[in-house]
Amino acid sequence: MTMGTIHHHRTLPVRSIRAFVWDFADEGIDDVLDRLGQARIDGVNLALAYHGGRFYCPHNPRRAIVHAPDGALYFQPLLSCYEELRPRVHPEYGSGAFVGRVGEALREREMALTAWVVLLNNLTLSMSHPEATSVNALGDRLEGALCPSKPAVRTYAQALVEDLAHRVGVDVIELEDFSFPTHDSYMGANWRGIEIGPNLGYLLGLCFCGDCSRRAEESNLEVRDLSYHVERMIRQGLAGDLTDRRIGDEIADPYKLISRYAEVRAETVTMLIDELNEAVEGSATLLQPIMAVDPDVAWRWGVELRALRQRLQRATLPASCTAGATHACIERSSEMLGLGRGLAADIHLRDGGEEHDSALPALVEACENHGVERFIFSHYGLARLDQLELIAELGRGR
């Protein structure tokens, strides 16, 4: 697969695994794909736009720790497609030729290539473009969190998706962090001497930047009054004068301004999904957002599942640590999204000993019992190789 030559895998994968470009570079493309084939994996979700971090690699032959720069692209973008926000290209793995070789090897083995994309969690762009960053009611910039209300951010998102769909030619673009971010979404150290509950945390991350405020004003909301009210609740919550439960009651009250503000945020995210769908038009690439939070509270971050069901063919749902919780999440999300066989369950491979290993079949069964037939395992380079053997055993005889 060379840049500009699109080869789409028509049959979408049943069992994919998340991987990083350095997995293939350090271990060898054929060696990795041989292992995946033995584990009955038929697709790779390759991180092509990802946040930074320190990654511990138990079977990497070159190194045990990988330090990844933040907000980097692991392919060569067509920079002329990007306007104000220009992406950072990984200095070592940003070559289009290498990603092309990985894609070609996958195609030869009839395996699907999914571009795994972290969209709005980007410290690099946030620091270089502070005007594109979310701002809470106190005026705190949420470094690392790009605001989807910003025209420049939306243009960047469209250019990235268009680049991957029309130039790299992936089968699926899996979108992570495509909605309004939480207050602690950036993958850095958090220093806090007090407990911050989920409701106070929601207020801390509620964006009142100029673009968010204008969108709300166009919907006839008194944004200035709301901002002052949210600021007071934050200060009272931090001081211990307002419980997280009372904050939650206010957030959930449909007659309060804060609830109406959530509706405006949902319209913003839904519009962004529409724009990204337009960006893939003319290609065979599908969008597949990752629904990373509890479906009953996803609206807080602008994810209105019932609105998205008309705009999506696929979605990724996270599996929980237990079969019961996984079944409940899948059941509720499936009901609200209505995607049926378009759903894929994301199952983490953890070094949790025999107890976790024995729970994997139960997690898979809980998903299958609710009609989910596609699975994404996380992550190849971060898991022990013997856990690939567990994947191979799952569902044998079915």
Side-chain angles (χ1 to χ4, degrees):
M1 180 192 304
T2 59
M3 290 294 156
T5 303
I6 300 174
H7 298 288
H8 287 284
H9 189 279
R10 295 297 177 183
T11 303
L12 292 174
V14 175
R15 293 174 174 220
S16 296
I17 195 162
R18 300 195 187 282
F20 300 101
V21 173
W22 60 76
D23 294 328
F24 290 92
D26 292 350
E27 298 187 28
I29 296 173
D30 288 333
D31 288 345
V32 172
L33 294 184
D34 285 345
R35 289 195 188 104
L36 298 184
Q38 293 169 5
R40 302 168 65 212
I41 297 291
D42 62 346
V44 172
N45 291 42
L46 190 61
L48 294 183
Y50 209 67
H51 58 65
R54 177 182 295 170
F55 300 83
Y56 293 84
C57 309
H59 52 81
N60 189 305
R62 289 183 54 195
R63 48 197 164 171
I65 299 174
V66 173
H67 294 272
D70 189 86
L73 301 191
Y74 290 79
F75 68 98
Q76 182 59 57
L78 182 62
L79 292 176
S80 61
C81 293
Y82 300 83
E83 297 181 12
E84 294 177 55
L85 274 62
R86 297 174 69 81
R88 176 183 189 177
V89 181
H90 195 286
E92 184 178 0
Y93 303 120
S95 165
F98 185 74
V99 172
R101 289 200 299 273
V102 174
E104 184 66 25
L106 285 166
R107 187 176 68 86
E108 289 175 355
R109 296 171 185 246
E110 297 186 343
M111 299 173 71
L113 173 60
T114 293
W116 173 24
V117 171
V118 172
L119 200 58
L120 302 181
N121 182 353
N122 192 313
L123 183 64
T124 295
L125 290 178
S126 172
M127 294 296 285
S128 60
H129 296 274
E131 73 283 356
T133 305
S134 292
V135 182
N136 69 16
L138 280 72
D140 302 324
R141 290 196 181 277
L142 306 181
E143 304 293 0
L146 301 178
C147 175
S149 289
K150 301 287 187 183
V153 172
R154 302 162 78 86
T155 299
Y156 163 76
Q158 292 172 65
L160 177 58
V161 166
E162 183 176 349
D163 219 352
L164 288 165
H166 293 276
R167 293 192 61 250
V168 182
V170 297
D171 299 295
V172 179
I173 298 174
E174 190 183 36
L175 297 173
E176 183 175 353
D177 292 333
F178 63 94
S179 58
F180 285 94
T182 61
H183 71 100
D184 57 354
S185 59
Y186 170 59
M187 302 293 288
N190 287 304
W191 295 80
R192 47 175 101 164
I194 61 171
E195 181 179 354
I196 297 178
N199 298 310
L200 176 56
Y202 172 64
L203 297 185
L204 283 168
L206 203 58
C207 184
F208 286 93
C209 71
D211 290 279
C212 282
S213 296
R214 277 191 292 274
R215 285 181 178 273
E217 288 167 355
E218 290 169 359
S219 296
N220 298 317
L221 267 67
E222 295 293 339
V223 181
R224 188 180 298 274
D225 291 345
L226 175 60
S227 176
Y228 287 153
H229 183 54
V230 170
E231 179 181 353
R232 286 197 300 273
M233 285 197 294
I234 290 175
R235 294 195 183 281
Q236 290 174 337
L238 291 173
D241 298 330
L242 186 62
T243 66
D244 204 62
R245 179 176 179 178
R246 286 185 60 193
I247 295 174
D249 290 341
E250 174 112 0
I251 294 171
D253 189 334
Y255 298 102
K256 299 288 187 179
L257 275 178
I258 196 167
S259 180
R260 292 177 58 199
Y261 196 60
E263 294 175 4
V264 175
R265 284 157 60 92
E267 291 171 2
T268 298
V269 173
T270 301
M271 190 181 304
L272 175 62
I273 293 295
D274 286 339
E275 292 167 353
L276 299 183
N277 274 324
E278 290 177 7
V280 302
E281 281 185 1
S283 74
T285 302
L286 295 175
L287 289 183
Q288 182 169 319
I290 300 174
M291 306 302 175
V293 295
D294 183 333
D296 288 317
V297 298
W299 58 267
R300 291 189 175 192
W301 290 272
V303 181
E304 180 51 67
L305 297 179
R306 296 189 190 280
L308 294 183
R309 70 187 297 171
Q310 303 171 13
R311 293 165 166 84
L312 299 173
Q313 299 179 49
R314 293 177 60 78
T316 300
L317 303 178
S320 300
C321 295
T322 66
T326 295
H327 184 276
C329 177
I330 296 292
E331 182 177 39
R332 183 66 172 144
S333 298
S334 179
E335 172 193 342
M336 298 175 77
L337 280 168
L339 293 179
R341 300 182 67 179
L343 297 175
D346 190 350
I347 297 180
H348 279 254
L349 302 173
R350 300 181 180 90
D351 188 6
E354 293 183 4
E355 182 177 348
H356 176 264
D357 292 350
S358 62
L360 281 176
L363 291 179
V364 171
E365 184 177 4
C367 296
E368 291 178 331
N369 286 342
H370 209 75
V372 176
E373 302 174 348
R374 304 186 188 279
F375 299 90
I376 303 166
F377 297 95
S378 303
H379 311 76
Y380 168 78
L382 308 183
R384 303 188 317 265
L385 285 178
D386 59 358
Q387 290 190 303
L388 293 181
E389 299 174 8
L390 293 175
I391 296 175
E393 293 300 319
L394 293 174
R396 282 198 187 277
R398 291 188 180 130

